[in-house]
Amino acid sequence: MHGINDEVFTAAEAMNRMMTRDFSRLNGPIFDVLVCGGGIYGAWTAYDAALRGLKVVLIDRGDWANATSSASSKLVHGGLRYLENFDFKLVRKTLAERQMLLAAAPHRVRPLRFGVPVYRGGRLDRFRLAVGLTLYDGLAGAIGGGQGFRYYGGRRFSGRFPFLRADGLKAGFTYLDAQTDDARLVLELVAGAQSAGAVCVNYCEAGDFLERDGKLSATVVTDRTTGESMAVQARHFVNTAGQWAFRLQQGRQNYRLSKGVHLVLPNLLGNEALLLTAKADGRVFFMIPWYGRTLVGTTDTDYAGDVDAVKVEAEDIDYLLNEVNHFARNTHWAKDDIIGAFAGLRVLKASDASSPSAVSRDWELQAAPNGLLTSIGGKLTSARSDAAEIVDRLCGDLGKPVRCATFGKPLPWAPEGDFPAWSAAMIRRAVALGIDRESADWLLFRYGSRVPEIFDQCGKRPGSAVRIVADAPFIVADLLVCARTEMVVRLEDLLRRRLPLLILAKLAPKEVRRIAETIAPVLGWDQERIEAELKAICVS
Protein backbone atom coordinates (compact mmCIF):
# COMPACT_ATOMS: atom_id res chain seq x y z
CA MET A 1 0.00 0.00 0.00
CA HIS A 2 1.17 3.53 -0.68
CA GLY A 3 2.37 6.15 1.73
CA ILE A 4 0.12 9.07 2.54
CA ASN A 5 1.83 11.38 0.05
CA ASP A 6 1.94 8.91 -2.83
CA GLU A 7 -0.42 10.03 -5.57
CA VAL A 8 0.12 6.95 -7.75
CA PHE A 9 -2.41 4.13 -7.99
CA THR A 10 -1.74 1.82 -10.91
CA ALA A 11 -4.27 0.02 -13.08
CA ALA A 12 -2.57 -3.27 -12.20
CA GLU A 13 -3.16 -2.70 -8.50
CA ALA A 14 -6.80 -1.82 -9.15
CA MET A 15 -7.22 -5.06 -11.09
CA ASN A 16 -5.71 -7.04 -8.21
CA ARG A 17 -8.33 -5.59 -5.88
CA MET A 18 -11.22 -6.25 -8.25
CA MET A 19 -13.68 -8.93 -7.15
CA THR A 20 -14.36 -11.32 -10.03
CA ARG A 21 -17.24 -13.74 -10.39
CA ASP A 22 -16.17 -16.91 -12.25
CA PHE A 23 -18.47 -19.92 -11.91
CA SER A 24 -16.12 -22.06 -14.02
CA ARG A 25 -13.51 -22.01 -11.24
CA LEU A 26 -15.71 -24.41 -9.26
CA ASN A 27 -14.91 -27.05 -11.84
CA GLY A 28 -11.51 -28.01 -10.52
CA PRO A 29 -9.71 -30.30 -8.11
CA ILE A 30 -11.22 -31.41 -4.80
CA PHE A 31 -11.54 -28.49 -2.39
CA ASP A 32 -10.60 -28.79 1.26
CA VAL A 33 -13.81 -27.02 2.30
CA LEU A 34 -16.96 -25.70 0.67
CA VAL A 35 -18.66 -22.96 2.71
CA CYS A 36 -22.36 -22.43 1.97
CA GLY A 37 -23.55 -18.98 3.00
CA GLY A 38 -21.87 -15.64 2.32
CA GLY A 39 -22.88 -13.67 5.38
CA ILE A 40 -20.50 -12.61 8.14
CA TYR A 41 -19.87 -16.18 9.38
CA GLY A 42 -19.24 -17.60 5.93
CA ALA A 43 -17.01 -14.68 4.99
CA TRP A 44 -14.83 -14.94 8.10
CA THR A 45 -14.62 -18.74 7.73
CA ALA A 46 -13.55 -18.54 4.08
CA TYR A 47 -11.06 -15.75 4.76
CA ASP A 48 -9.49 -17.55 7.74
CA ALA A 49 -9.32 -20.90 5.93
CA ALA A 50 -7.77 -19.37 2.81
CA LEU A 51 -5.15 -17.58 4.90
CA ARG A 52 -4.22 -20.94 6.47
CA GLY A 53 -3.58 -22.41 3.04
CA LEU A 54 -6.76 -24.45 2.61
CA LYS A 55 -8.40 -24.81 -0.79
CA VAL A 56 -11.66 -22.98 -0.20
CA VAL A 57 -14.85 -22.30 -2.09
CA LEU A 58 -17.46 -19.87 -0.75
CA ILE A 59 -20.92 -19.64 -2.31
CA ASP A 60 -24.18 -17.88 -1.55
CA ARG A 61 -27.58 -18.41 -3.13
CA GLY A 62 -27.98 -14.64 -3.33
CA ASP A 63 -25.65 -11.71 -2.88
CA TRP A 64 -22.99 -11.36 -0.21
CA ALA A 65 -24.57 -10.30 3.10
CA ASN A 66 -27.99 -10.34 1.45
CA ALA A 67 -29.94 -11.24 4.60
CA THR A 68 -29.17 -10.87 8.32
CA SER A 69 -25.64 -9.61 7.76
CA SER A 70 -26.93 -6.44 6.09
CA ALA A 71 -29.90 -6.07 8.45
CA SER A 72 -28.09 -5.61 11.77
CA SER A 73 -27.80 -2.54 14.00
CA LYS A 74 -24.39 -1.89 12.37
CA LEU A 75 -22.67 -2.21 15.76
CA VAL A 76 -19.42 -3.79 16.84
CA HIS A 77 -20.08 -4.03 20.54
CA GLY A 78 -19.85 -6.14 23.64
CA GLY A 79 -23.57 -6.13 24.36
CA LEU A 80 -24.07 -4.13 27.53
CA ARG A 81 -27.52 -5.63 28.06
CA TYR A 82 -26.09 -9.17 28.27
CA LEU A 83 -24.57 -8.29 31.64
CA GLU A 84 -28.11 -8.28 33.06
CA ASN A 85 -28.27 -11.99 32.19
CA PHE A 86 -24.79 -12.56 33.73
CA ASP A 87 -23.50 -13.66 30.31
CA PHE A 88 -19.98 -12.53 31.18
CA LYS A 89 -18.27 -15.02 28.87
CA LEU A 90 -20.04 -13.66 25.79
CA VAL A 91 -19.47 -10.03 26.79
CA ARG A 92 -15.78 -10.64 27.44
CA LYS A 93 -15.39 -12.36 24.06
CA THR A 94 -17.20 -9.68 22.09
CA LEU A 95 -15.40 -6.83 23.86
CA ALA A 96 -12.05 -8.43 23.02
CA GLU A 97 -13.15 -8.57 19.37
CA ARG A 98 -14.34 -4.97 19.48
CA GLN A 99 -11.02 -3.74 20.84
CA MET A 100 -9.09 -5.76 18.28
CA LEU A 101 -11.17 -4.51 15.33
CA LEU A 102 -10.89 -0.88 16.43
CA ALA A 103 -7.12 -1.27 16.16
CA ALA A 104 -6.94 -3.56 13.11
CA ALA A 105 -9.65 -1.92 11.00
CA PRO A 106 -9.90 1.80 11.80
CA HIS A 107 -11.36 2.44 8.34
CA ARG A 108 -14.13 -0.12 8.88
CA VAL A 109 -14.87 0.05 12.62
CA ARG A 110 -15.25 3.44 14.26
CA PRO A 111 -15.66 4.33 17.94
CA LEU A 112 -19.16 5.45 18.85
CA ARG A 113 -20.17 6.89 22.20
CA PHE A 114 -23.61 5.95 23.55
CA GLY A 115 -25.76 7.88 25.97
CA VAL A 116 -27.97 6.13 28.53
CA PRO A 117 -30.55 8.36 30.23
CA VAL A 118 -31.84 7.68 33.74
CA TYR A 119 -35.48 8.68 34.16
CA ARG A 120 -37.54 8.82 37.32
CA GLY A 121 -39.32 5.48 37.68
CA GLY A 122 -37.27 3.89 34.89
CA ARG A 123 -36.08 0.28 34.90
CA LEU A 124 -32.40 1.21 35.13
CA ASP A 125 -31.21 3.32 38.07
CA ARG A 126 -27.93 5.17 38.54
CA PHE A 127 -26.36 2.61 40.86
CA ARG A 128 -27.05 -0.41 38.63
CA LEU A 129 -25.83 1.43 35.55
CA ALA A 130 -22.65 2.61 37.25
CA VAL A 131 -21.86 -0.93 38.40
CA GLY A 132 -22.67 -2.40 34.98
CA LEU A 133 -20.62 0.17 33.07
CA THR A 134 -17.66 -0.24 35.41
CA LEU A 135 -17.75 -3.98 34.74
CA TYR A 136 -18.22 -3.40 31.00
CA ASP A 137 -15.20 -1.11 30.77
CA GLY A 138 -13.18 -3.45 32.94
CA LEU A 139 -13.90 -6.47 30.75
CA ALA A 140 -12.81 -4.42 27.73
CA GLY A 141 -9.66 -3.11 29.42
CA ALA A 142 -10.95 0.33 28.52
CA ILE A 143 -10.83 2.11 31.88
CA GLY A 144 -8.97 5.41 31.55
CA GLY A 145 -7.48 6.99 28.47
CA GLY A 146 -10.78 8.69 27.67
CA GLN A 147 -12.48 5.41 26.83
CA GLY A 148 -14.27 4.78 30.10
CA PHE A 149 -17.87 5.66 30.93
CA ARG A 150 -18.85 9.13 32.10
CA TYR A 151 -21.59 10.34 34.43
CA TYR A 152 -23.72 13.46 33.89
CA GLY A 153 -26.33 15.21 35.93
CA GLY A 154 -29.75 15.62 34.37
CA ARG A 155 -29.20 19.14 33.04
CA ARG A 156 -25.79 18.38 31.50
CA PHE A 157 -27.06 15.17 29.94
CA SER A 158 -30.06 16.99 28.49
CA GLY A 159 -27.72 19.55 26.94
CA ARG A 160 -25.68 16.74 25.37
CA PHE A 161 -28.78 15.05 23.93
CA PRO A 162 -31.31 17.84 23.29
CA PHE A 163 -33.52 15.47 21.31
CA LEU A 164 -34.53 13.71 24.56
CA ARG A 165 -37.47 14.84 26.66
CA ALA A 166 -36.22 16.55 29.82
CA ASP A 167 -39.13 15.90 32.18
CA GLY A 168 -38.21 13.17 34.65
CA LEU A 169 -34.60 13.02 33.46
CA LYS A 170 -32.50 12.54 36.60
CA ALA A 171 -29.07 11.81 35.14
CA GLY A 172 -27.28 9.99 32.38
CA PHE A 173 -24.17 8.07 31.42
CA THR A 174 -22.14 7.73 28.27
CA TYR A 175 -19.97 4.76 27.33
CA LEU A 176 -17.92 3.66 24.35
CA ASP A 177 -18.72 1.03 21.72
CA ALA A 178 -18.24 1.00 17.95
CA GLN A 179 -20.09 0.86 14.64
CA THR A 180 -19.50 -0.40 11.12
CA ASP A 181 -21.15 -0.87 7.75
CA ASP A 182 -22.12 -4.54 8.09
CA ALA A 183 -22.56 -5.29 4.37
CA ARG A 184 -19.22 -3.72 3.46
CA LEU A 185 -17.47 -5.56 6.27
CA VAL A 186 -18.68 -8.83 4.74
CA LEU A 187 -17.72 -7.68 1.26
CA GLU A 188 -14.20 -6.78 2.39
CA LEU A 189 -13.74 -10.23 3.95
CA VAL A 190 -14.99 -11.97 0.79
CA ALA A 191 -12.55 -9.87 -1.23
CA GLY A 192 -9.80 -10.84 1.19
CA ALA A 193 -10.68 -14.52 0.89
CA GLN A 194 -10.60 -14.29 -2.89
CA SER A 195 -7.23 -12.53 -2.82
CA ALA A 196 -5.92 -15.32 -0.56
CA GLY A 197 -6.91 -17.93 -3.14
CA ALA A 198 -10.52 -18.82 -2.28
CA VAL A 199 -13.07 -19.28 -5.06
CA CYS A 200 -16.00 -16.99 -4.19
CA VAL A 201 -19.20 -16.96 -6.24
CA ASN A 202 -22.46 -15.23 -5.34
CA TYR A 203 -25.84 -16.21 -6.79
CA CYS A 204 -24.69 -19.79 -6.63
CA GLU A 205 -26.88 -22.36 -4.85
CA ALA A 206 -26.00 -25.71 -3.32
CA GLY A 207 -28.54 -28.39 -4.17
CA ASP A 208 -28.36 -32.13 -3.59
CA PHE A 209 -25.50 -33.41 -1.47
CA LEU A 210 -23.67 -36.54 -2.50
CA GLU A 211 -22.24 -38.98 0.03
CA ARG A 212 -19.53 -41.60 -0.03
CA ASP A 213 -19.38 -44.14 2.81
CA GLY A 214 -21.84 -42.09 4.82
CA LYS A 215 -19.88 -38.83 4.54
CA LEU A 216 -20.48 -35.81 2.33
CA SER A 217 -18.24 -35.79 -0.71
CA ALA A 218 -19.83 -33.38 -3.19
CA THR A 219 -22.79 -31.12 -3.85
CA VAL A 220 -24.55 -30.09 -7.02
CA VAL A 221 -24.13 -26.33 -7.40
CA THR A 222 -26.22 -24.16 -9.71
CA ASP A 223 -25.32 -20.77 -11.12
CA ARG A 224 -28.55 -18.85 -10.61
CA THR A 225 -27.62 -16.31 -13.28
CA THR A 226 -27.32 -18.88 -16.09
CA GLY A 227 -28.91 -22.10 -14.82
CA GLU A 228 -25.66 -24.02 -15.33
CA SER A 229 -24.97 -26.77 -12.77
CA MET A 230 -21.99 -28.87 -11.78
CA ALA A 231 -20.94 -31.23 -9.01
CA VAL A 232 -18.34 -29.67 -6.71
CA GLN A 233 -16.20 -32.04 -4.65
CA ALA A 234 -14.87 -31.14 -1.21
CA ARG A 235 -13.44 -32.91 1.79
CA HIS A 236 -15.51 -30.87 4.23
CA PHE A 237 -18.70 -28.79 4.10
CA VAL A 238 -19.63 -25.87 6.35
CA ASN A 239 -23.18 -24.56 6.58
CA THR A 240 -23.25 -20.84 7.36
CA ALA A 241 -26.55 -20.23 5.59
CA GLY A 242 -28.24 -18.57 8.57
CA GLN A 243 -32.02 -18.62 8.24
CA TRP A 244 -31.71 -21.11 5.35
CA ALA A 245 -29.47 -23.52 7.28
CA PHE A 246 -32.25 -26.11 7.61
CA ARG A 247 -32.35 -26.58 3.83
CA LEU A 248 -28.83 -27.99 3.98
CA GLN A 249 -29.71 -30.06 7.06
CA GLN A 250 -32.38 -32.06 5.23
CA GLY A 251 -35.17 -29.89 6.62
CA ARG A 252 -34.27 -30.16 10.33
CA GLN A 253 -34.64 -26.71 11.90
CA ASN A 254 -33.07 -27.17 15.33
CA TYR A 255 -32.79 -23.46 16.07
CA ARG A 256 -35.02 -20.50 16.79
CA LEU A 257 -35.65 -17.48 14.57
CA SER A 258 -36.23 -13.95 15.82
CA LYS A 259 -37.16 -11.02 13.60
CA GLY A 260 -35.46 -7.67 14.03
CA VAL A 261 -36.70 -4.49 12.36
CA HIS A 262 -34.96 -1.14 12.00
CA LEU A 263 -36.27 2.23 10.83
CA VAL A 264 -34.22 4.98 9.20
CA LEU A 265 -35.24 8.47 10.32
CA PRO A 266 -33.79 11.95 9.66
CA ASN A 267 -30.67 12.98 11.55
CA LEU A 268 -31.68 13.47 15.18
CA LEU A 269 -28.54 12.87 17.20
CA GLY A 270 -25.36 14.38 15.80
CA ASN A 271 -22.38 12.08 16.32
CA GLU A 272 -23.45 10.13 19.41
CA ALA A 273 -25.92 7.28 19.87
CA LEU A 274 -28.50 6.43 22.51
CA LEU A 275 -29.33 3.21 24.34
CA LEU A 276 -32.94 3.39 25.53
CA THR A 277 -35.35 1.13 27.37
CA ALA A 278 -38.69 0.59 25.66
CA LYS A 279 -41.70 1.66 27.67
CA ALA A 280 -43.89 -1.08 26.16
CA ASP A 281 -41.85 -4.14 27.22
CA GLY A 282 -38.64 -3.01 28.93
CA ARG A 283 -36.42 -4.11 26.01
CA VAL A 284 -33.30 -2.22 25.08
CA PHE A 285 -33.27 -0.45 21.70
CA PHE A 286 -30.87 1.95 20.00
CA MET A 287 -30.88 5.25 18.18
CA ILE A 288 -27.67 5.39 16.11
CA PRO A 289 -26.22 7.96 13.71
CA TRP A 290 -25.38 6.26 10.38
CA TYR A 291 -24.51 7.91 7.05
CA GLY A 292 -26.15 11.14 8.18
CA ARG A 293 -29.41 9.45 9.23
CA THR A 294 -30.70 7.96 12.47
CA LEU A 295 -31.05 4.19 12.70
CA VAL A 296 -33.71 3.10 15.20
CA GLY A 297 -34.05 -0.50 16.34
CA THR A 298 -34.38 -3.22 16.90
CA THR A 299 -37.46 -5.31 17.53
CA ASP A 300 -37.09 -8.90 18.77
CA THR A 301 -40.04 -11.18 18.01
CA ASP A 302 -40.34 -14.89 17.28
CA TYR A 303 -40.64 -15.70 13.60
CA ALA A 304 -42.21 -18.80 12.06
CA GLY A 305 -43.04 -17.50 8.59
CA ASP A 306 -41.46 -17.86 5.19
CA VAL A 307 -37.71 -17.21 5.47
CA ASP A 308 -37.73 -15.92 1.89
CA ALA A 309 -40.35 -13.28 2.64
CA VAL A 310 -39.25 -11.44 5.77
CA LYS A 311 -40.70 -7.94 5.78
CA VAL A 312 -41.41 -4.93 7.94
CA GLU A 313 -44.95 -5.11 9.29
CA ALA A 314 -47.20 -2.27 10.44
CA GLU A 315 -46.92 -3.38 14.08
CA ASP A 316 -43.12 -3.24 13.88
CA ILE A 317 -43.28 0.36 12.68
CA ASP A 318 -45.83 1.32 15.33
CA TYR A 319 -43.71 -0.21 18.10
CA LEU A 320 -40.54 1.66 17.15
CA LEU A 321 -42.23 4.98 16.39
CA ASN A 322 -44.13 4.87 19.68
CA GLU A 323 -40.91 4.29 21.59
CA VAL A 324 -39.02 7.07 19.78
CA ASN A 325 -41.91 9.46 20.37
CA HIS A 326 -42.01 8.52 24.05
CA PHE A 327 -38.46 9.84 24.45
CA ALA A 328 -38.65 12.74 21.99
CA ARG A 329 -38.88 16.34 23.13
CA ASN A 330 -41.45 18.50 21.33
CA THR A 331 -41.45 16.17 18.34
CA HIS A 332 -43.87 13.55 17.06
CA TRP A 333 -42.51 11.29 14.35
CA ALA A 334 -45.00 9.72 11.95
CA LYS A 335 -44.83 7.10 9.21
CA ASP A 336 -44.29 9.81 6.60
CA ASP A 337 -41.02 10.73 8.34
CA ILE A 338 -39.55 7.27 7.79
CA ILE A 339 -36.88 7.32 5.10
CA GLY A 340 -36.26 3.58 5.02
CA ALA A 341 -36.86 0.36 6.91
CA PHE A 342 -35.51 -3.17 6.85
CA ALA A 343 -36.05 -6.51 8.56
CA GLY A 344 -33.77 -9.45 9.23
CA LEU A 345 -33.81 -12.76 11.05
CA ARG A 346 -31.51 -13.72 13.91
CA VAL A 347 -30.67 -17.40 14.19
CA LEU A 348 -30.70 -18.34 17.89
CA LYS A 349 -29.96 -21.57 19.65
CA ALA A 350 -33.04 -23.67 20.41
CA SER A 351 -34.58 -22.49 23.69
CA ASP A 352 -37.76 -22.71 25.74
CA ALA A 353 -37.43 -19.10 26.91
CA SER A 354 -40.70 -17.21 26.57
CA SER A 355 -39.08 -14.23 24.83
CA PRO A 356 -36.37 -14.19 22.14
CA SER A 357 -34.67 -11.41 24.10
CA ALA A 358 -33.99 -13.90 26.89
CA VAL A 359 -32.21 -16.35 24.58
CA SER A 360 -28.41 -16.27 24.67
CA ARG A 361 -26.67 -14.79 21.63
CA ASP A 362 -23.80 -17.22 22.09
CA TRP A 363 -22.74 -19.46 19.24
CA GLU A 364 -22.50 -23.19 18.67
CA LEU A 365 -21.18 -25.50 15.97
CA GLN A 366 -23.37 -28.48 15.19
CA ALA A 367 -21.90 -31.59 13.52
CA ALA A 368 -24.11 -34.01 11.60
CA PRO A 369 -23.25 -37.72 11.22
CA ASN A 370 -22.48 -37.14 7.53
CA GLY A 371 -19.88 -34.51 8.47
CA LEU A 372 -21.82 -31.33 7.73
CA LEU A 373 -20.80 -28.56 10.15
CA THR A 374 -23.53 -26.01 10.83
CA SER A 375 -22.98 -22.63 12.46
CA ILE A 376 -25.84 -21.58 14.76
CA GLY A 377 -26.30 -18.32 16.66
CA GLY A 378 -23.57 -15.79 17.29
CA LYS A 379 -23.14 -12.10 16.61
CA LEU A 380 -21.59 -9.84 14.01
CA THR A 381 -18.95 -8.78 16.54
CA SER A 382 -17.85 -12.26 17.58
CA ALA A 383 -18.06 -13.94 14.17
CA ARG A 384 -14.29 -13.85 13.60
CA SER A 385 -13.61 -15.72 16.84
CA ASP A 386 -16.30 -18.32 16.11
CA ALA A 387 -15.09 -18.79 12.54
CA ALA A 388 -11.61 -19.44 13.89
CA GLU A 389 -13.03 -22.37 15.87
CA ILE A 390 -14.64 -23.73 12.70
CA VAL A 391 -11.35 -23.54 10.80
CA ASP A 392 -9.43 -25.01 13.77
CA ARG A 393 -11.68 -28.04 13.49
CA LEU A 394 -11.24 -28.26 9.72
CA CYS A 395 -7.46 -28.02 9.99
CA GLY A 396 -7.45 -30.73 12.66
CA ASP A 397 -9.54 -33.06 10.54
CA LEU A 398 -7.35 -32.40 7.49
CA GLY A 399 -4.14 -32.94 9.41
CA LYS A 400 -2.99 -29.37 8.75
CA PRO A 401 -2.39 -27.84 12.19
CA VAL A 402 -1.99 -24.22 11.07
CA ARG A 403 -2.84 -21.60 13.68
CA CYS A 404 -5.35 -18.82 13.10
CA ALA A 405 -3.82 -15.54 11.96
CA THR A 406 -6.90 -13.28 11.77
CA PHE A 407 -6.81 -11.91 15.33
CA GLY A 408 -5.13 -8.53 15.11
CA LYS A 409 -4.45 -8.87 11.38
CA PRO A 410 -5.34 -5.66 9.52
CA LEU A 411 -8.41 -6.12 7.35
CA PRO A 412 -7.71 -6.40 3.60
CA TRP A 413 -8.49 -2.72 2.88
CA ALA A 414 -6.91 -1.26 6.04
CA PRO A 415 -4.45 1.54 5.24
CA GLU A 416 -0.88 1.15 6.44
CA GLY A 417 0.86 3.48 8.84
CA ASP A 418 -0.57 6.40 10.80
CA PHE A 419 -4.33 6.26 10.20
CA PRO A 420 -5.17 9.85 11.25
CA ALA A 421 -2.40 11.23 9.02
CA TRP A 422 -3.52 9.01 6.13
CA SER A 423 -7.13 10.09 6.62
CA ALA A 424 -6.23 13.78 6.61
CA ALA A 425 -4.22 13.36 3.40
CA MET A 426 -7.04 11.46 1.69
CA ILE A 427 -9.62 14.06 2.72
CA ARG A 428 -7.45 16.82 1.25
CA ARG A 429 -7.18 14.91 -2.02
CA ALA A 430 -10.93 14.31 -2.10
CA VAL A 431 -11.81 17.95 -1.51
CA ALA A 432 -9.31 19.03 -4.17
CA LEU A 433 -11.16 16.79 -6.64
CA GLY A 434 -14.46 18.50 -5.81
CA ILE A 435 -15.88 15.84 -3.45
CA ASP A 436 -17.82 17.38 -0.59
CA ARG A 437 -16.39 16.90 2.91
CA GLU A 438 -19.14 14.63 4.26
CA SER A 439 -19.06 12.30 1.25
CA ALA A 440 -15.25 12.20 1.43
CA ASP A 441 -15.36 11.12 5.06
CA TRP A 442 -17.76 8.27 4.28
CA LEU A 443 -15.66 7.20 1.30
CA LEU A 444 -12.76 6.48 3.66
CA PHE A 445 -15.13 4.46 5.85
CA ARG A 446 -16.37 2.48 2.88
CA TYR A 447 -13.16 1.89 0.92
CA GLY A 448 -10.19 2.28 3.24
CA SER A 449 -6.96 1.86 1.24
CA ARG A 450 -9.00 1.45 -1.96
CA VAL A 451 -10.17 5.07 -1.90
CA PRO A 452 -7.60 6.10 -4.59
CA GLU A 453 -9.76 4.06 -6.99
CA ILE A 454 -12.48 6.65 -6.40
CA PHE A 455 -10.07 9.50 -6.99
CA ASP A 456 -8.89 7.85 -10.21
CA GLN A 457 -12.50 7.54 -11.39
CA CYS A 458 -13.12 11.22 -10.59
CA GLY A 459 -10.11 12.14 -12.74
CA LYS A 460 -11.27 10.01 -15.65
CA ARG A 461 -14.94 10.95 -15.75
CA PRO A 462 -16.01 14.60 -15.44
CA GLY A 463 -18.94 15.07 -13.09
CA SER A 464 -18.37 11.88 -11.10
CA ALA A 465 -17.34 13.75 -7.93
CA VAL A 466 -20.91 14.98 -7.39
CA ARG A 467 -23.50 13.25 -5.25
CA ILE A 468 -25.82 10.68 -6.79
CA VAL A 469 -28.72 12.32 -4.94
CA ALA A 470 -28.46 15.56 -3.06
CA ASP A 471 -29.29 14.40 0.46
CA ALA A 472 -27.18 11.20 0.73
CA PRO A 473 -23.35 11.21 1.02
CA PHE A 474 -22.54 9.00 -1.98
CA ILE A 475 -20.96 10.23 -5.21
CA VAL A 476 -21.22 9.01 -8.80
CA ALA A 477 -17.64 7.69 -8.79
CA ASP A 478 -18.53 5.48 -5.81
CA LEU A 479 -21.42 4.03 -7.79
CA LEU A 480 -19.27 3.29 -10.83
CA VAL A 481 -16.40 1.71 -8.88
CA CYS A 482 -18.81 -0.53 -6.96
CA ALA A 483 -20.47 -1.65 -10.18
CA ARG A 484 -17.16 -2.39 -11.90
CA THR A 485 -15.13 -4.00 -9.10
CA GLU A 486 -17.43 -5.50 -6.45
CA MET A 487 -19.16 -8.49 -8.03
CA VAL A 488 -22.48 -6.73 -8.56
CA VAL A 489 -25.05 -8.95 -10.28
CA ARG A 490 -28.37 -7.23 -9.59
CA LEU A 491 -29.37 -3.59 -9.22
CA GLU A 492 -30.46 -4.33 -5.66
CA ASP A 493 -26.92 -5.55 -4.83
CA LEU A 494 -25.64 -2.13 -5.76
CA LEU A 495 -28.32 0.06 -4.18
CA ARG A 496 -28.94 -1.91 -0.97
CA ARG A 497 -25.58 -3.42 0.02
CA ARG A 498 -22.73 -1.76 -1.93
CA LEU A 499 -24.29 1.68 -1.40
CA PRO A 500 -27.33 1.54 0.92
CA LEU A 501 -29.26 4.17 -1.03
CA LEU A 502 -32.52 2.19 -0.98
CA ILE A 503 -32.78 2.61 2.79
CA LEU A 504 -31.05 6.00 3.19
CA ALA A 505 -32.92 8.03 0.59
CA LYS A 506 -36.45 8.23 -0.74
CA LEU A 507 -35.50 7.65 -4.36
CA ALA A 508 -37.98 8.70 -7.01
CA PRO A 509 -38.52 6.18 -9.83
CA LYS A 510 -36.78 8.50 -12.29
CA GLU A 511 -33.72 8.64 -10.01
CA VAL A 512 -33.49 4.86 -9.82
CA ARG A 513 -33.83 4.66 -13.59
CA ARG A 514 -31.07 7.24 -14.03
CA ILE A 515 -28.79 5.17 -11.77
CA ALA A 516 -29.56 1.97 -13.67
CA GLU A 517 -28.82 3.66 -17.00
CA THR A 518 -25.58 5.10 -15.62
CA ILE A 519 -24.17 1.73 -14.59
CA ALA A 520 -25.65 -0.30 -17.49
CA PRO A 521 -22.58 0.17 -19.74
CA VAL A 522 -20.29 -0.92 -16.89
CA LEU A 523 -22.27 -4.12 -16.31
CA GLY A 524 -23.10 -4.80 -19.96
CA TRP A 525 -26.86 -4.40 -19.51
CA ASP A 526 -29.13 -3.75 -22.47
CA GLN A 527 -32.48 -1.96 -22.22
CA GLU A 528 -34.36 -5.20 -21.58
CA ARG A 529 -32.08 -6.00 -18.64
CA ILE A 530 -32.48 -2.46 -17.26
CA GLU A 531 -36.27 -2.84 -17.31
CA ALA A 532 -36.04 -6.23 -15.58
CA GLU A 533 -33.82 -4.84 -12.84
CA LEU A 534 -36.11 -1.88 -12.25
CA LYS A 535 -39.12 -4.19 -12.06
CA ALA A 536 -37.33 -6.42 -9.53
CA ILE A 537 -37.07 -3.55 -7.06
CA CYS A 538 -40.61 -2.36 -7.88
CA VAL A 539 -39.65 0.62 -10.02
CA SER A 540 -41.38 1.17 -13.35
Side-chain angles (χ1 to χ4, degrees), residues 433-455:
L433 286 165
I435 302 171
D436 70 272
R437 181 62 173 75
E438 184 187 13
S439 295
D441 183 59
W442 288 114
L443 280 173
L444 270 58
F445 179 65
R446 291 166 46 69
Y447 283 91
S449 63
R450 290 182 55 212
V451 78
E453 295 178 48
I454 301 296
F455 301 157

Side-chain angles (χ1 to χ4, degrees), residues 488-501:
V488 169
V489 174
R490 308 297 303 272
L491 184 59
E492 185 187 1
D493 304 340
L494 186 63
L495 298 185
R496 173 61 181 88
R497 287 170 290 277
R498 307 300 186 274
L499 302 97
L501 272 169

Side-chain angles (χ1 to χ4, degrees), residues 361-393:
R361 265 47 176 176
D362 210 349
W363 168 85
E364 68 179 11
L365 185 63
Q366 299 176 352
N370 64 3
L372 179 66
L373 298 178
T374 299
S375 173
I376 297 295
K379 291 167 54 62
L380 182 80
T381 306
S382 54
R384 186 216 62 85
S385 175
D386 300 333
E389 290 191 36
I390 297 174
V391 184
D392 284 345
R393 178 158 180 165

Side-chain angles (χ1 to χ4, degrees), residues 133-397:
L133 288 169
T134 299
L135 180 58
Y136 196 68
D137 285 348
L139 289 171
I143 294 177
Q147 293 191 35
F149 78 88
R150 302 167 188 168
Y151 171 78
Y152 299 84
R155 182 174 295 179
R156 285 186 63 211
F157 192 83
S158 183
R160 195 175 184 97
F161 294 97
F163 166 77
L164 288 176
R165 63 178 174 85
D167 57 300
L169 181 63
K170 297 169 61 178
F173 295 84
T174 66
Y175 71 95
L176 196 68
D177 257 322
Q179 73 174 159
T180 189
D181 181 322
D182 48 7
R184 291 203 67 83
L185 172 59
V186 172
L187 188 75
E188 182 171 359
L189 294 171
V190 174
Q194 191 171 70
S195 294
V199 177
C200 304
V201 187
N202 56 353
Y203 290 94
C204 186
E205 187 167 14
D208 294 333
F209 280 109
L210 309 175
E211 296 186 6
R212 181 180 297 127
D213 299 326
K215 298 294 182 181
L216 296 180
S217 61
T219 183
V220 177
V221 175
T222 301
D223 183 342
R224 297 183 68 200
T225 70
T226 65
E228 181 183 356
S229 294
M230 69 174 71
V232 179
Q233 299 181 75
R235 295 179 177 88
H236 294 281
F237 295 80
V238 177
N239 177 7
T240 54
Q243 64 209 57
W244 294 280
F246 71 95
R247 292 180 178 172
L248 303 179
Q249 294 177 300
Q250 298 178 329
R252 295 189 298 274
Q253 184 173 320
N254 53 351
Y255 51 83
R256 183 170 179 171
L257 293 175
S258 168
K259 188 175 81 167
V261 169
H262 292 80
L263 304 182
V264 180
L265 293 174
N267 187 11
L268 311 173
L269 298 172
N271 295 319
E272 295 187 313
L274 283 166
L275 181 151
L276 302 168
T277 304
K279 182 181 179 182
D281 55 12
R283 287 190 60 256
V284 163
F285 73 101
F286 298 106
M287 296 182 66
I288 303 164
W290 198 63
Y291 284 117
R293 307 296 193 209
T294 300
L295 198 62
V296 178
T298 175
T299 60
D300 197 1
T301 54
D302 278 314
Y303 186 82
D306 183 354
V307 295
D308 292 315
V310 185
K311 60 183 179 180
V312 179
E313 305 283 357
E315 54 265 34
D316 301 318
I317 294 173
D318 291 343
Y319 172 88
L320 290 171
L321 281 181
N322 287 340
E323 295 303 335
V324 170
N325 287 328
H326 171 70
F327 287 100
R329 176 192 294 184
N330 301 325
T331 304
H332 184 84
W333 298 94
K335 292 179 181 179
D336 287 345
D337 297 306
I338 298 171
I339 298 168
F342 56 90
L345 295 180
R346 307 175 190 88
V347 178
L348 308 176
K349 293 192 293 187
S351 169
D352 293 329
S354 59
S355 167
S357 298
V359 181
S360 172
R361 265 47 176 176
D362 210 349
W363 168 85
E364 68 179 11
L365 185 63
Q366 299 176 352
N370 64 3
L372 179 66
L373 298 178
T374 299
S375 173
I376 297 295
K379 291 167 54 62
L380 182 80
T381 306
S382 54
R384 186 216 62 85
S385 175
D386 300 333
E389 290 191 36
I390 297 174
V391 184
D392 284 345
R393 178 158 180 165
L394 294 172
C395 286
D397 291 344

